[in-house]
Amino acid sequence: MPDSPVPMPSLGDHEHAVLAIDVGGTDIKIALVESDGSIIGLRRVPTKVNGEHTVATVVHTVAREAKQLAVDYPTIRPAAAGVIVPGIVDEEAGVCVYARNLDWHNEPIRAQFEAALSLPVAFGHDVRTAGDAELQLGAGTGVRDAMVVVIGTGIASAVFVNGSPVVSRGFAGEIGQNRVASTVYSAAVGDGPAAPTLEEIASAGAIARRYAEQSGEQVQGSREVLDRMLGGDPVASRVWNEATSALANCIAQAAGMIAPEVILLAGGLALAGQHLVEPIERHLDVELTIQRRPQLILAQLGGDAGLIGSALKARALAAGERTP
Amino acid sequence: MPDSPVPMPSLGDHEHAVLAIDVGGTDIKIALVESDGSIIGLRRVPTKVNGEHTVATVVHTVAREAKQLAVDYPTIRPAAAGVIVPGIVDEEAGVCVYARNLDWHNEPIRAQFEAALSLPVAFGHDVRTAGDAELQLGAGTGVRDAMVVVIGTGIASAVFVNGSPVVSRGFAGEIGQNRVASTVYSAAVGDGPAAPTLEEIASAGAIARRYAEQSGEQVQGSREVLDRMLGGDPVASRVWNEATSALANCIAQAAGMIAPEVILLAGGLALAGQHLVEPIERHLDVELTIQRRPQLILAQLGGDAGLIGSALKARALAAGERTP
């Protein structure tokens, strides 16, 4: 599902203007954030992946765009930049350990951006940073123990304990790989050496793919599967039920292990709103025993949560606050 | 399996002597810990559960034993007490939210012990405190991100992120309730409304019970199932394989979500040593994909880990360190 247009929230006042950068596998977003909280000059440029030169190309592209922003808005002088990237990200070391889409292995991203931008750089992981923005300005304001579940082509998450993200050298949050158990798709459990992963059952991509496999009909994406379910299609209904059951199973795993107060559903599939929340709630009735039942809420910041979080990290760095 | 006798580790020197108390569903352990680290006058008294009077009875019993210790060792003057209890424990509030074995609901344990002992009390959860002792003095020394899995009659855990326990108002660590997915016991997955819980497949109690159900022969406990497996019994082998597969599945859930560096196996079943570790490692080969593979290690402090952790908490409190 495409990003739905959501109103850009106010970031509030801050003593410093900053540069916010969100490097994705498809495109790079870059913007200035004024000290009054407004996002200025937002531009998207495609991410050019060219093997070992990818990092240099990305850094060069960002530096060029930053220079153009400085020309376009000469009165805004950013005090720091926020840079977020996907994959396995070790914020503390400033290193992207691994990013499949970008073919990065142990790249010292922070240092390269600092050199190219001549600015202090707050470096972060895309999902954790977007999640942090939702907890600071979006749907989860004030929540200390939360898991943000981003459901799109794949599934990723950010886990927050006592207000801080769990990092574990960048390896935390890979719940797309968690194997899921549920009798609603026991057929899927029956064959392979291990149960299916959450991503194989419940990502937006999996929903579209599994519907096509089971119905013999191609669909544009998970949005169309949802529309068909609402129109009474039993195959769509089964695939959606399996997906929401798998999500409930993984949420129950979190409830047992770390007991988040809130599960924040984000990414394209979260645009399904109550059509996503309600079946997960029903499956949780069966999944949970004595665990604390988490509250399910929907993300509010849409596709710019990462960029906003990147700006918040840069502001914190500029203000001298400790930031991982 | 019974506790194996393990040599008591040295707690090391500290400026203060303390009182260490471990309240369990079956018995209460109480001891003095001298400033040179030696554990003195250890005594066990049965826990008397008598409905609404249970808290008062437990507190009274502990106060009586503490008084006797003061008479027996008049030169040792504890500066603080550590008190740990089972169940859902909110350390920050000093409250036991719920303990099934003791029939406790929202009991302000810390305040009652402080009044009865006339000492500052460091209050904690039995599993988190025992886990903390293993990370400070036992098998996991120096590890920052860990999950301690205690496998006995039931299964409980303590999760540590960046050196601190995850509490979530006392609800974290209930992994015995996590549902497990594995084709090695797909038969068990086939029927109920949800997959089985870890505790139903992999606790020492479940191993003995499931062996009896499947073989028609009663056994003393999981130790006997292990012995029968080593003697070539195919039913014992299947039950053990299912249990270790379920444990690997839950460990893989943790690897995806919080990526602990270490899984510390504790409790009676951990006395099986490599007979427990090796099959879990084999199942992890199948369970894990891109997650960080945790190192499996065996607990070292045995059944007194809780008492030792209780002493460490009391020492920290006496020294004015912040302690949850």
Side-chain angles (χ1 to χ4, degrees), chain A residues 145 159 168 171-175 177-181 183 189 192-195 253-254 256-259 286-287 289 291-292, chain B residues 145 168-169 171-175 177-181 183 189 192-195 253-254 256-259 286-287 289-292:
Chain A
D145 298 311
V159 175
S168 293
F171 292 92
E174 293 286 351
I175 62 165
Q177 301 300 313
N178 279 38
R179 298 188 186 278
V180 283
T183 50
V189 178
Q253 292 171 8
M257 202 165 283
I258 48 173
V286 177
E287 290 284 335
T289 59
Q291 303 97 319
R292 172 159 77 160
Chain B
D145 298 310
S168 293
R169 294 180 181 266
F171 291 92
E174 293 286 352
I175 62 166
Q177 301 301 312
N178 279 37
R179 297 187 187 277
V180 283
T183 51
V189 178
Q253 292 172 7
M257 203 164 283
I258 49 172
V286 178
E287 289 284 335
T289 60
I290 60 165
Q291 304 97 318
R292 172 159 75 158

